[in-house]
């Protein structure tokens, strides 16, 4: 079974303040630092994912800008009322999929203490439920449509801290969650594509790379729901689903194989003195830094740690991923891959003897400071115990090759509690006009403006679609295909061939360009040169 979650950024102002939704890459004007802690939700319990983050005890640094950030984003001022334009866009989408809009909208706080929100929670408002989307394999239910604020953008991370930028924090997002009605990897891709097309039919959504994100939830019979975050590429979604099915299937096979195995209690042993003369670069550097090597025995696990779950992804990779996230270590060594990495057969034999390992047993090593190593091996041991249960419920991060890595435990209802600083909303749904669907727009552009299918699709999906229609109407003497090419293909050519940033071009630049063309002040042949000069802020009509 598969369900997906789509997050689409919206245009205009931020959700709970009047700051612009501009992304920045210039030097920050200020930095603030925080520690965050998990608070209990409405149920009185602390969420497991939030508790894991608190254990990591990181310091968070936030970089901001005086001209595009305010006190709301640094959590020094209460949020303003929810942005009415963003709410209208979300209600439009709800109507498109025939969802039931809630008569009262209550903003909630969702506890998040990984540093991605300065306040320690994300504000989210459930707008509607029970929509549906037609696909080639039947209807896919839409369980929830929410309006929420985007998180900070991560800049850097080390063992003790994370650095974020405040520019993305508070950008409005429509979040759409489907029911687990998707039955095949290809239907998952089709559903994501159709939802994306519907969202891009709305005038209030952002367009372009990074403005839409897909998360995929997968489970197989006997497994558990696993959420995979950050499936950026639509083409890669089927592979992501197939490889998660394979991972869960392999974990269930291992669960069966472990039925006769009794795991030993956790006992962490310091092995530094055995490896003082090791030629392993990692171990010798660790000892040089006055740190050490710790190890644990895993009874009955010989040969299992090297078992492949996905292409080039083994049980050892799974254990290493858990240790990296929980303790911030660089990785682990395990007996199934040794002797290797400069660790000799003689050293392996000494480690086995010290840990009390027989031929059927395995061991795990970690080379780091003692406190960190204890935390890492504790995390590894917890993950090993989960192998006896099959598939753990967890959140994972999508990788480009279709595999995924561990992020955190699956959060639950314990992280939710009401946002008391934002008033209740009683939405008015009458009179909400539906936009022209993207598919209809593409067909209209082909028929009305005689654009090719590819060019019609390109301009309809572009950020300049409204500008295209405006210019076509204002300058009927210009061919629509030429206008469409200027607003799409020509900009791509300037970026690719001339390495010029076209994001600096404003709508008025294009309006002026076509005004000059209509007045015969410039010629069609030099439009590309004019756009390059405009993007560089060097345009001069006299030239």
């Amino acid at each position: 079974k598969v369900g997906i979650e789509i997050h689409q950024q919206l245009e205009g102002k931020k959700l709970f303040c009047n700051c612009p939704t501009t992304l920045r890459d210039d030097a920050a004007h200020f930095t603030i630092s925080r520690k965050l802690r998990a608070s209990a939700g409405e149920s009185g319990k602390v969420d497991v994912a939030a508790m894991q983050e608190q254990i990591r005890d990181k310091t968070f640094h936030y970089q901001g800008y005086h001209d595009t950030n305010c006190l709301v984003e640094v959590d020094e001022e209460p949020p303003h009322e929810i942005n009415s334009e963003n709410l209208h866009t979300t209600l439009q989408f709800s109507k498109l999929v025939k969802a039931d809009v809630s008569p009262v909208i209550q903003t909630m706080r969702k506890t998040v203490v990984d540093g991605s929100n300065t306040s320690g929670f994300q504000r989210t408002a459930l707008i509607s439920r029970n929509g549906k989307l037609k696909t080639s394999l039947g209807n896919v239910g839409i369980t929830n449509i929410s309006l929420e604020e985007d998180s900070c953008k991560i800049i850097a991370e080390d063992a003790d801290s994370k650095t974020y930028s405040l520019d993305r924090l508070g950008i409005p997002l429509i979040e759409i969650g489907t029911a687990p009605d998707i039955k095949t990897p290809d239907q998952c891709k089709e559903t994501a594509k159709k939802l994306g097309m519907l969202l891009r039919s709305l005038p209030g959504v952002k367009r372009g790379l990074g403005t839409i994100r897909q998360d995929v939830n997968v489970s197989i019979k006997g497994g558990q729901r696993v959420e995979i975050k950050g499936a950026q590429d639509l083409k890669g979604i089927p592979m992501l689903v197939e490889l998660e099915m394979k991972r869960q299937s392999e974990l269930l096979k291992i669960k069966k194989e472990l039925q006769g195995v009794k795991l030993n209690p956790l006992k962490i042993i310091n092995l530094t003195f055995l490896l003082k003369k090791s030629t392993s670069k990692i171990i010798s550097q660790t000892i040089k830094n006055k740190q050490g090597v710790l190890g644990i025995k895993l009874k009955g696990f010989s040969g299992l740690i090297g078992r492949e779950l996905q292409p080039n992804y083994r049980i050892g990779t799974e254990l290493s991923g858990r240790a990296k996230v929980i303790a911030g270590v660089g990785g682990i060594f395990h007996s199934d891959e040794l002797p290797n990495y400069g660790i000799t057969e003689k050293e392996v034999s000494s480690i086995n003897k010290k840990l009390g390992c027989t031929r059927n047993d395995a061991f795990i090593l970690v080379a780091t400071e003692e406190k960190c190593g204890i935390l890492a091996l504790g995390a590894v041991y917890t993950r090993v115990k989960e192998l006896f249960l099959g598939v753990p419920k967890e959140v994972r991060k999508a990788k480009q090759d279709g595999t995924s890595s561990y992020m955190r435990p699956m959060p639950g209802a314990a992280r939710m509690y009401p946002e008391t600083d934002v008033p209740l909303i009683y939405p008015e749904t009458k009179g909400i006009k539906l936009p022209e669907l993207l598919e209809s727009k593409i067909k209209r552009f082909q028929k009305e403006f005689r654009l090719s299918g590819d060019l019609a699709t390109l301009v309809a999906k572009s950020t300049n679609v409204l500008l295209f229609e405006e210019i076509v109407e204002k300058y009927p003497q210009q061919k629509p295909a030429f206008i469409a090419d200027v607003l799409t293909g020509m900009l791509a050519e300037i970026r690719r061939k001339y390495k010029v940033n076209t994001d600096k071009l404003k709508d008025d630049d294009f309006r002026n360009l076509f005004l000059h063309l209509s007045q015969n002040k410039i010629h069609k042949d030099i439009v590309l040169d004019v756009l390059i000069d405009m993007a560089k802020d060097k345009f001069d009509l006299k030239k």
Side-chain angles (χ1 to χ4, degrees):
K1 285 183 174 181
V2 180
I4 58 174
E5 291 173 25
I6 302 257
H7 300 84
Q8 171 69 62
Q9 289 183 347
L10 301 181
E11 283 287 10
K13 303 286 187 183
K14 292 195 175 179
L15 191 56
F16 292 104
C17 67
N18 289 319
C19 291
T21 57
T22 310
L23 294 177
R24 306 279 292 263
D25 56 10
D26 52 326
H29 299 157
F30 65 86
T31 302
I32 60 166
S33 300
R34 292 273 165 87
K35 284 276 193 184
L36 297 176
R37 59 195 175 119
S39 60
E42 196 174 11
S43 65
K45 294 177 182 176
V46 175
D47 181 62
V48 286
M51 188 50 72
Q52 177 187 290
E53 290 296 341
Q54 188 169 314
I55 288 167
R56 296 174 75 187
D57 191 32
K58 291 209 171 194
T59 300
F60 305 112
H61 307 294
Y62 299 100
Q63 297 179 353
Y65 303 89
H66 292 307
D67 51 343
T68 55
N69 294 129
C70 71
L71 292 175
V72 172
E73 288 141 313
V74 294
D75 194 38
E76 294 293 347
E77 179 184 320
H80 304 177
E81 284 191 27
I82 206 162
N83 186 302
S84 58
E85 289 178 12
N86 301 150
L87 178 60
H88 182 266
T89 302
T90 314
L91 291 171
Q92 275 185 312
F93 182 82
S94 300
K95 210 168 178 182
L96 277 177
V97 294
K98 297 181 170 58
D100 302 326
V101 175
S102 176
V104 182
I105 294 169
Q106 162 79 66
T107 305
M108 295 292 291
R109 292 177 177 180
K110 190 159 58 178
T111 304
V112 181
V113 286
D114 63 356
S116 59
N117 291 69
T118 47
S119 56
F121 55 81
Q122 178 188 32
R123 295 184 183 92
T124 180
L126 178 65
I127 306 298
S128 56
R129 289 179 285 188
N130 305 324
K132 65 178 178 183
L133 184 80
K134 284 183 183 175
T135 76
S136 58
L137 294 179
N139 287 338
V140 171
I142 293 175
T143 54
N144 60 283
I145 299 166
S146 300
L147 180 57
E148 63 183 23
E149 54 186 356
D150 209 341
S151 55
C152 295
K153 183 173 70 186
I154 190 154
I155 304 293
E157 181 176 9
D158 58 34
D160 303 311
S161 68
K162 281 185 180 181
T163 302
Y164 289 97
S165 174
L166 292 172
D167 59 344
R168 200 177 72 184
L169 180 63
I171 290 181
L173 292 174
I174 294 182
E175 183 195 45
I176 303 144
T178 77
D181 294 338
I182 300 166
K183 305 292 192 295
T184 71
D186 283 326
Q187 190 192 10
C188 186
K189 176 186 169 183
E190 181 193 356
T191 304
K193 190 176 180 181
K194 287 202 165 189
L195 285 171
M197 291 283 273
L198 285 178
L199 283 164
R200 284 178 177 167
S201 302
L202 301 168
V205 304
K206 277 187 179 288
R207 293 158 187 259
L209 205 64
T211 60
I212 187 167
R213 303 195 295 274
Q214 287 99 200
D215 302 337
V216 182
N217 291 272
V218 184
S219 65
I220 65 169
K221 191 174 181 181
Q224 293 274 13
R225 177 169 77 92
V226 170
E227 182 179 356
I228 306 172
K229 286 197 167 289
Q232 290 283 10
D233 183 17
L234 276 179
K235 291 176 193 168
I237 284 178
M239 177 65 77
L240 192 72
V241 174
E242 282 180 33
L243 289 183
E244 179 55 27
M245 288 160 63
K246 176 175 167 52
R247 190 185 75 91
Q248 292 195 24
S249 177
E250 293 298 325
L251 286 171
L252 291 175
K253 284 179 194 171
I254 288 164
K255 177 189 173 184
K256 273 188 178 178
E257 289 176 37
L258 288 171
Q259 280 178 356
V261 174
K262 191 174 181 184
L263 185 64
N264 55 293
L266 174 65
K267 188 180 180 183
I268 298 172
I269 293 178
N270 196 316
L271 303 166
T272 312
F273 68 100
L274 288 180
L275 298 161
K276 272 187 175 175
K277 295 179 182 177
S278 179
T279 55
S280 165
K281 283 183 183 177
I282 296 171
I283 288 176
S284 61
Q285 188 60 48
T286 302
I287 293 170
K288 205 174 181 182
N289 293 341
K290 296 184 177 177
Q291 297 175 340
V293 183
L294 303 178
I296 57 170
K297 167 185 164 181
L298 298 175
K299 189 178 177 182
F301 269 78
S302 178
L304 268 175
I305 312 293
R307 179 79 66 84
E308 196 170 75
L309 300 175
Q310 294 175 325
N312 300 315
Y313 184 95
R314 296 170 171 76
I315 291 276
T317 324
E318 190 100 334
L319 302 181
S320 178
R322 192 67 71 93
K324 284 176 182 178
V325 169
I326 302 289
V329 295
I332 61 167
F333 298 102
H334 60 82
S335 48
D336 284 359
E337 63 182 356
L338 301 177
N340 204 345
Y341 308 111
I343 298 173
T344 64
E345 201 162 327
K346 188 180 177 183
E347 287 166 337
V348 171
S349 180
S350 300
I351 292 164
N352 276 322
K353 191 176 178 183
K354 180 66 181 172
L355 293 175
C357 293
T358 66
R359 186 185 292 176
N360 296 325
D361 304 332
F363 64 75
I364 306 288
L365 306 180
V366 64
T368 184
E369 60 171 325
E370 189 174 23
K371 182 186 169 187
C372 215
I374 290 168
L375 201 58
L377 291 176
V380 166
Y381 186 79
T382 299
R383 181 65 190 93
V384 169
K385 285 199 295 183
E386 289 170 356
L387 291 171
F388 289 83
L389 305 173
V391 182
K393 261 188 173 183
E394 61 189 22
V395 180
R396 300 178 67 82
K397 183 180 181 180
K399 293 184 174 179
Q400 282 192 327
D401 61 0
T403 63
S404 61
S405 60
Y406 174 79
M407 284 180 74
R408 56 178 175 267
M410 184 71 76
R415 64 181 176 159
M416 303 296 287
Y417 60 109
E419 168 59 85
T420 51
D421 288 335
V422 178
L424 297 173
I425 299 166
Y426 301 88
E428 181 52 67
T429 54
K430 286 178 185 175
I432 288 179
K433 291 179 182 176
L434 293 182
E436 180 183 23
L437 293 181
L438 199 57
E439 287 178 18
S440 307
K441 196 185 286 286
I442 291 166
K443 286 175 185 171
R444 178 168 65 82
F445 284 179
Q446 287 176 269
K447 188 179 177 183
E448 194 176 324
F449 305 130
R450 296 183 181 178
L451 301 185
S452 68
D454 287 344
L455 190 54
T457 303
L458 200 61
V459 75
K461 287 183 174 181
S462 85
T463 53
N464 291 324
V465 61
L466 296 176
L467 190 62
F468 166 73
E469 295 204 69
E470 177 194 317
I471 292 170
V472 165
E473 188 181 345
K474 194 167 184 179
Y475 301 106
Q477 72 274 25
Q478 299 289 346
K479 285 184 180 176
F482 172 68
I483 296 169
D485 183 51
V486 168
L487 296 172
T488 56
M490 201 173 281
L491 298 183
E493 186 185 351
I494 291 168
R495 287 191 296 271
R496 185 183 65 250
K497 193 173 177 182
Y498 300 96
K499 312 295 180 198
V500 174
N501 181 10
T502 58
D503 292 342
K504 293 182 178 180
L505 290 167
K506 303 288 185 285
D507 286 1
D508 281 343
D509 290 323
F510 294 106
R511 290 185 183 108
N512 289 331
L513 171 77
F514 284 98
L515 175 66
H516 297 325
L517 275 170
S518 71
Q519 294 171 343
N520 292 318
K521 290 181 179 177
I522 58 172
H523 192 271
K524 269 187 178 181
D525 292 352
I526 64 157
V527 164
L528 187 133
D529 303 281
V530 169
L531 287 171
I532 289 172
D533 280 355
M534 283 178 164
K536 290 179 174 178
D537 202 22
K538 291 180 179 178
F539 175 67
D540 181 0
L541 195 57
K542 289 174 187 174
K543 180 185 168 184

